[in-house]
Amino acid sequence: MSDIQTQFVKNVLSGAEQNLKDAGSAFAPSNIALSKYWGKRDAELNLPINSSLSVSLGNLGTQTEIRLAEKSSVYLNGELVDPADSFAVRTLEFLKLFPMVGTHFEVRTENNIPTAAGLASSASGFAALVMALNDLAGWALGPRMLSMLARLGSGSASRSLSHGFVQWHAGTADDGTDSFSERIDTEWSEFRIGILELSTARKAVGSRDGMNRTVETSALYKSWPAQADADFQVIRRAIEVKDFPMLGKTAERNALSMHATMMSAWPPLIYLQPESIEMIHKVQRLRDAGLELYLTIDAGPNIKLLFLESSVKEVLSEFPHLQIIKPFA
Ligand code: PMV
């Protein structure tokens, strides 16, 4: 928490009236970026260097309930979290940005995202937290304002306020007021995401430190912002015209380019494991054989497959343990 963040929150809330209730609750979906956010132009306000675009994961995400309390406490999936645990620390630090609501809170969070599957729970976690807070405080803020608040907890959380495809505009203003997310008004009911769980090991370097290291030390990063912006535009267009190969190809190349910037950092950031590489080759082989299958990878070893409903049978025969998500169900 810093003065700059406190001031930013005051700005966002300046037009909102507060009508406090006994408790607030909300659900937010997790999301996977098709064109990635990697690199901050402002660490305190979590302002990204480039715009990004994601797809939300339907009913996979976080349900949060919040109320005022005598003493702060955080529960995760029904169990009280040790106050020294980083999950509780991050949650309660974030809530200190909202003294106009209260000083102590009881927060109950349920994640139905298989945490072992390498899906970011911080995105849906902070999005659900600000939505629940909005409910508790009765501010009646819309997703655009809420996305700016969620962004302070975790960048990708700004894309978890809505279902479907979501774009996060990087913005250019130093005060962060034009960096927000909004839903893209296109449904694509045949769109599928497959989660390939390859490793449950905790990543050695979190995204915050990983991004900073990449921006500071990777020579390849210099070409990233322009590519990320171009990919963002192509993917947005591909969604508009429902051109799946254009979307898949651009998303896969975007993810692998991000990993190239990571690997060229020093010390190198190698999130991919041998199994990840094996799967990248397998997807390429299947594509060469005619299957419309693409992949994306975040800052971890697990692979997310992108395909359409018409390929489900074939994809399942190649990846029998795949967890398939229907983002528009
Ligand atoms: O929001 P963070 O700080 O967890 O960073 C997310 C970074 C990636 O997942 C690698 C990319 C993205 O756009 O979600």
Side-chain angles (χ1 to χ4, degrees), residues 217-229:
T217 68
S218 158
L220 290 190
Y221 189 80
K222 290 182 181 52
S223 66
W224 169 258
Q227 189 194 335
D229 275 341

Side-chain angles (χ1 to χ4, degrees), residues 223-269:
S223 66
W224 169 258
Q227 189 194 335
D229 275 341
D231 290 346
F232 173 87
Q233 301 295 349
V234 173
I235 291 177
R236 206 166 54 171
R237 174 84 188 132
I239 289 169
E240 227 172 82
V241 299
K242 299 210 171 139
D243 183 337
F244 185 71
M246 182 173 20
L247 180 147
K249 173 181 152 188
T250 312
E252 180 166 327
R253 197 175 49 192
N254 178 275
L256 293 175
S257 302
M258 176 182 74
H259 279 270
T261 72
M262 294 161 162
M263 285 183 208
S264 58
W266 195 263
L269 287 160

Side-chain angles (χ1 to χ4, degrees), residues 33 36-38 122 154-156 159 207 211 258 298-299:
K36 308 289 182 189
Y37 145 57
W38 196 248
S122 67
S154 151
S156 54
R159 297 186 311 241
S207 57
M211 277 183 212
M258 176 182 74
D298 289 307

Side-chain angles (χ1 to χ4, degrees), residues 49-290:
I49 289 176
N50 62 278
S51 296
S52 56
L53 195 157
S54 59
V55 56
S56 291
L57 299 188
N59 57 12
L60 280 189
T62 304
Q63 173 76 39
T64 291
E65 204 175 294
I66 186 167
R67 61 183 72 239
L68 295 175
E70 297 277 297
K71 193 170 159 269
S72 289
S73 57
V74 178
Y75 292 79
L76 179 59
N77 296 336
E79 288 190 23
L80 182 64
V81 181
D82 181 339
D85 183 278
S86 66
F87 179 76
V89 172
R90 271 183 90 184
T91 305
L92 297 176
E93 264 306 299
F94 182 76
L95 289 171
K96 284 189 189 155
L97 291 169
F98 304 90
M100 63 298 274
V101 184
T103 322
H104 298 292
F105 299 89
E106 180 188 291
V107 182
R108 288 180 178 268
T109 281
E110 304 279 335
N111 275 338
N112 68 1
I113 315 160
T115 22
L119 288 173
S121 54
S122 67
S124 54
F126 280 107
L129 187 58
V130 295
M131 286 166 87
L133 201 58
N134 184 43
D135 188 30
L136 172 71
W139 296 321
L141 295 176
R144 176 177 173 148
M145 291 304 186
L146 292 175
S147 79
M148 294 202 276
L149 297 180
R151 189 190 75 218
L152 298 178
S154 151
S156 54
S158 79
R159 297 186 311 241
S160 269
L161 279 299
S162 310
H163 286 278
F165 295 114
V166 176
Q167 49 186 336
W168 174 14
H169 304 282
T172 52
D174 287 342
D175 68 1
T177 49
D178 62 352
S179 180
F180 65 93
S181 294
E182 63 180 343
R183 191 173 169 272
I184 296 174
D185 194 17
T186 301
E187 302 262 321
W188 198 339
S189 58
E190 299 84 9
F191 199 91
R192 298 287 180 274
I193 296 164
I195 308 291
L196 267 183
E197 183 192 331
L198 301 174
S199 161
T200 56
R202 255 185 114 87
K203 55 187 166 198
V205 183
S207 57
R208 189 173 294 251
D209 292 341
M211 277 183 212
N212 292 343
R213 189 190 295 178
T214 308
V215 175
E216 282 161 20
T217 68
S218 158
L220 290 190
Y221 189 80
K222 290 182 181 52
S223 66
W224 169 258
Q227 189 194 335
D229 275 341
D231 290 346
F232 173 87
Q233 301 295 349
V234 173
I235 291 177
R236 206 166 54 171
R237 174 84 188 132
I239 289 169
E240 227 172 82
V241 299
K242 299 210 171 139
D243 183 337
F244 185 71
M246 182 173 20
L247 180 147
K249 173 181 152 188
T250 312
E252 180 166 327
R253 197 175 49 192
N254 178 275
L256 293 175
S257 302
M258 176 182 74
H259 279 270
T261 72
M262 294 161 162
M263 285 183 208
S264 58
W266 195 263
L269 287 160
I270 304 180
Y271 290 107
L272 304 177
Q273 292 295 329
E275 307 89 308
S276 324
I277 304 284
E278 212 174 287
M279 287 301 151
I280 294 171
H281 285 292
K282 180 166 176 178
V283 167
Q284 270 184 23
R285 259 198 324 272
L286 291 168
R287 200 161 52 225
D288 288 347

